[in-house]
Amino acid sequence: MKSLLSSKPVLWFLFLFNLVVAAAAPFVVDGAQGVMTAVGMGVVSVGAGVGLLRGQRPVRHPA
């Protein structure tokens, strides 16, 4: 399960989907529930984004 969740396509999906939901939630759901939904989805999106950034390795070319 860990290898599936750390794959790039899954991380991109989590990042983009949760970012869109976090941006739309306050307009779709009223009150505190919309704000808390946006915060929760934003946290998941930031976590996936960090996972994407950590996954980048500098390419080393042989000299």
Side-chain angles (χ1 to χ4, degrees):
M1 188 66 156
K2 185 176 180 180
S3 63
L4 173 68
L5 288 177
S6 63
S7 69
K8 278 200 177 233
V10 172
L11 286 174
W12 274 110
F13 173 77
L14 286 172
F15 176 69
L16 294 174
F17 177 77
N18 287 301
L19 187 65
V20 169
V21 171
F27 302 107
V28 177
V29 182
D30 291 330
Q33 186 176 4
V35 172
M36 291 309 294
T37 300
V39 168
M41 292 296 201
V43 167
V44 173
S45 181
V46 167
V50 168
L52 284 169
L53 290 176
R54 282 189 180 174
Q56 291 181 347
R57 303 274 187 239
V59 178
R60 294 187 180 198
H61 297 287

